[in-house]
Amino acid sequence: MSDLARLEDLPLEYRQALAQQNLVPLWPSLRGVLPPDKPRPQTTPTLWSYKSIKPLLLKAGELTPIEKAERRVLVLANPGHGLDKMQASPAIYLGMQLLLPGEWAPAHKHTPNAVRMIVEGEGAYTNVNGEKCPMSRGDLILTPTGQWHEHGHDGDEPVVWLDVLDLPLVYYMEASYHINGKRQPTDAVRGDKIYQYAGVVPTRDFERSTRTYPVIRYPWVEVKEALLSLGEAEPGLSTVMVTYVNPETGGDAENILGFYALMLRPGQKLSMPVRSPSCVYHVIEGFCSVGVLGEEFKLEEADTCCAPGYTSVTLANLSATQPTFLFMADESPLHRKLGVYEVRQGP
Ligand code: 1HN
């Protein structure tokens, strides 16, 4: 492939004349925006260890009262994008949030979609449009676009969760904003109670629900059971994985990011397919290594890492006797909707 002319090859006077009219020559930047064969991601493989985050998060609890913070969060920022960009990947925002006993994070709604993966502690809850969702380790709670949500804590120990949002994308689209609200009622029927078993859905007067987000809370005890049962029923299956779905449509739980739980069998090594979306890995239970672009991260419980798209990722359970359970978030729904989703053979 031939090298294209550089910007400096043009006379200074000509460049200035272009800039004055808000014009830019394409050819010096063409290879940058359309690199050969595959993208050149800014997203760098990055590990955030919970052991390092926790003391700093608890310190934030001393330094900044919830009234002053509204949401007390340390953002897991990918240095490849620049820490101020608050991006783990092009479309994924990650943050660790702390709520202390008795604290209240007031109601608001916003355009970005969020989920929370509960990391530690009992007694807190999120109220999503009137559904009071208890938070326990490993639970996944959605707060999709436009849904009122507020967090409260009736327990007696700090509660920490991982926030996953599509904020970078929605912000990039200049579509990100919020509205503050009053304290919300807590009288709505809980979706996780009425969608108990995957094969049947509530049917009132022979009609199915038309709610856009019928299930808000996905309890870990049930998702873990689903993984164990899948692994047991199919002993030869290497990717023991489930997708968090909308049970009415079978589609992804949210519009932009995809969410999954994966079980690595004791001692198992697993090569993930090379796919276009970036992906985040978070350990719910166990230990594993994540190999990506020459890095070999060792993850313990509650550790989180990310990998750019178009790269091969290898996972290995570091326990020879116990399964390891991972939560994953990726940009697949977005890539599929935009028609840029790809799976490749080899890197
Ligand atoms: C948000 O609303 C929450 O409600 C957490 O807990 C993190 C990060 C960016 C924008 C909105 C929450 C957030 C957020």
Side-chain angles (χ1 to χ4, degrees), residues 300-314:
E300 301 177 16
E301 235 166 73
D303 289 352
T304 307
C305 74
C306 71
Y310 295 90
T311 50
S312 62
V313 174
T314 51

Side-chain angles (χ1 to χ4, degrees), residues 147-208:
Q147 309 273 311
W148 289 110
H149 55 283
E150 57 194 1
H151 316 304
H153 195 336
D154 299 330
D156 53 16
E157 55 183 357
V159 168
V160 177
W161 62 82
L162 177 70
D163 291 312
V164 186
L165 282 83
D166 48 27
L167 178 67
L169 177 76
V170 179
Y171 181 76
Y172 175 75
M173 294 193 303
E174 300 187 345
S176 179
Y177 71 95
H178 85 282
I179 294 173
N180 284 333
K182 291 200 283 285
R183 211 175 171 109
Q184 302 293 305
T186 53
D187 53 2
V189 175
R190 274 176 49 190
D192 57 329
K193 295 286 181 206
I194 62 173
Y195 289 84
Q196 185 77 19
Y197 176 68
V200 295
V201 297
T203 308
R204 294 188 176 84
D205 300 323
F206 287 85
E207 296 293 340
R208 299 263 296 274

Side-chain angles (χ1 to χ4, degrees), residues 13 31 33 40 72 105 145 171 186 228 249 254 265 268 300 310:
E13 206 177 312
R31 296 280 184 261
V33 294
R40 307 284 181 271
R72 195 189 290 108
T145 180
Y171 181 76
T186 53
L228 288 167
T249 65
E254 286 187 352
R265 300 175 193 273
Q268 186 185 356
E300 301 177 16
Y310 295 90

Side-chain angles (χ1 to χ4, degrees), residues 70-71 73 75 86 93 95 97 105-106 108-110 112 114 116 126 143 149-151 161 163-165 167 176 178:
E70 220 171 290
R71 300 293 191 267
V73 180
V75 178
M86 302 202 295
Y93 158 105
Q97 183 161 171
H108 67 187
K109 59 180 181 178
H110 40 68
R116 313 181 199 290
T126 290
T143 55
H149 55 283
E150 57 194 1
H151 316 304
W161 62 82
D163 291 312
V164 186
L165 282 83
L167 178 67
S176 179
H178 85 282

